């Protein structure tokens, strides 16, 4: 149980284009999903917290207009990297907790999306 | 800035040797979780510690949570090549919103056969 599916697994795009990444909870409802960014051999940096039916909460230093997050349903959150540039190339991972209102719940991660901007 | 520090950054061991990674926070943690990320993969939840001084074991893995709930450790006995990967601790700092975890930098473990 608690499977999180992320799509696509990898994407190559040209500078200036936008890329959408989907994160789905397959067998549970995720009222909250989290988007992380990870550089090679580095830690996971939280970008934003995605709340179903409301605006996402962004971490300090993360551009809201560049990384658009939508959480339209209890099983789907999307991250759109707008006007991508080479410096946006990274590994993006979503995660979700499946237990509502419990800060003890573990995170279940998607497989991640490796974005390369040329 | 980073509020959960993890050391060492890298650890190379011979198969059969033990391995330990340490996690420290400047503030008290509500709980701490440990994750393993295989090369090219995504983090996978290993365990969660909540109580002060808590010790949990999973086969060859032993997890500890400090008495002050500011530090934690993961110890692997007699490493195997399947243990290769990056081990992350992740703590919920006092006062943070529900679900938000702060990850340590991770320890990259390499096991030589």
């Amino acid at each position: 149980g608690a499977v999180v599916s992320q799509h696509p697994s990898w994407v190559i795009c040209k500078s200036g284009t936008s890329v959408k990444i989907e994160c789905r909870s397959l067998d549970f409802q995720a009222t909250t999903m989290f988007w992380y960014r990870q550089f090679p051999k580095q830690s996971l940096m939280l970008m934003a917290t995605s709340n179903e039916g409301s605006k996402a909460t962004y971490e300090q230093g993360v551009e809201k207009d560049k990384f658009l997050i939508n959480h339209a349903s209890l099983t789907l959150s999307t991250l759109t990297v707008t006007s991508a540039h080479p410096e946006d190339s990274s590994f993006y991972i979503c995660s979700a907790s499946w237990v509502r209102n419990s800060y003890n719940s573990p995170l279940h991660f998607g497989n991640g999306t490796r974005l390369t901007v040329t | 800035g980073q509020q959960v520090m993890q050391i060492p950054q890298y650890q190379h061991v011979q198969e059969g040797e033990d391995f330990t990674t340490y996690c420290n926070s400047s503030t008290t943690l509500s709980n701490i979780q440990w994750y393993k990320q295989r090369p090219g993969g995504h983090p996978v939840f290993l365990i969660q510690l909540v109580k002060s001084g808590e010790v949990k074991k999973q086969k060859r893995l032993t997890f500890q949570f400090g008495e002050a709930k500011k530090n934690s450790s993961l110890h692997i006995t007699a490493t195997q090549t399947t243990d290769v990967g990056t081990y992350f601790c992740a703590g919920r700092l006092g006062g943070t919103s529900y679900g938000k975890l702060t990850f340590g930098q991770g320890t990259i473990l390499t096991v030589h056969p």
Side-chain angles (χ1 to χ4, degrees):
Chain A
V3 176
V4 177
S5 175
Q6 189 171 340
H7 179 81
S9 298
W10 58 271
V11 58
I12 301 173
C13 71
K14 292 185 178 181
S15 184
T17 61
S18 295
V19 175
K20 179 183 283 189
I21 302 170
E22 292 187 348
C23 181
R24 295 180 183 271
S25 56
L26 298 184
D27 53 358
F28 66 100
Q29 294 183 333
T31 55
T32 305
M33 290 186 177
F34 307 91
W35 287 95
Y36 291 84
R37 184 174 181 176
Q38 186 179 34
F39 291 103
K41 297 186 178 181
Q42 293 191 26
S43 187
L44 291 89
M45 301 301 298
L46 180 64
M47 298 175 64
T49 301
S50 171
N51 301 295
E52 186 266 335
S54 64
K55 292 183 178 180
T57 302
Y58 289 82
E59 296 300 302
Q60 190 174 8
V62 177
E63 298 178 59
K64 300 179 181 181
D65 295 333
K66 180 159 188 66
F67 299 100
L68 300 179
I69 291 174
N70 182 273
H71 196 153
S73 75
L74 287 171
T75 59
L76 174 64
S77 175
T78 61
L79 166 66
T80 301
V81 183
T82 63
S83 188
H85 292 285
E87 56 265 30
D88 298 324
S89 299
S90 188
F91 191 53
Y92 294 88
I93 317 176
C94 69
S95 70
S97 294
W98 72 283
V99 179
R100 184 182 178 87
N101 293 331
S102 169
Y103 68 83
N104 284 336
S105 59
L107 292 180
H108 300 281
F109 286 86
N111 290 332
T113 298
R114 188 161 303 281
L115 170 63
T116 302
V117 184
T118 60
Chain B
Q2 188 71 270
Q3 294 176 282
V4 175
M5 305 300 293
Q6 190 174 351
I7 57 171
Q9 186 175 1
Y10 299 94
Q11 187 73 59
H12 308 277
V13 300
Q14 287 293 131
E15 189 173 21
E17 293 181 337
D18 293 354
F19 158 76
T20 305
T21 174
Y22 301 90
C23 194
N24 292 284
S25 171
S26 57
T27 60
T28 302
L29 301 172
S30 300
N31 57 62
I32 194 160
Q33 299 176 358
W34 285 90
Y35 293 81
K36 177 183 179 181
Q37 184 176 22
R38 293 182 183 274
H42 62 278
V44 175
F45 174 77
L46 293 177
I47 209 161
Q48 175 173 266
L49 304 171
V50 180
K51 300 177 181 178
S52 170
E54 189 170 13
V55 178
K56 287 187 177 181
K57 291 188 176 183
Q58 288 181 350
K59 296 182 180 179
R60 295 179 293 104
L61 278 62
T62 302
F63 303 84
Q64 291 186 317
F65 201 9
E67 294 290 341
K69 300 182 73 173
K70 289 185 176 182
N71 58 74
S72 181
S73 65
L74 158 59
H75 179 82
I76 302 178
T77 304
T79 55
Q80 300 175 359
T81 55
T82 53
D83 295 326
V84 165
T86 303
Y87 293 85
F88 291 100
C89 63
R92 282 195 173 87
L93 304 178
T96 54
S97 58
Y98 160 64
K100 179 179 176 179
L101 288 174
T102 298
F103 281 80
Q105 298 95 324
T107 296
I108 300 173
L109 173 64
T110 305
V111 180
H112 300 286

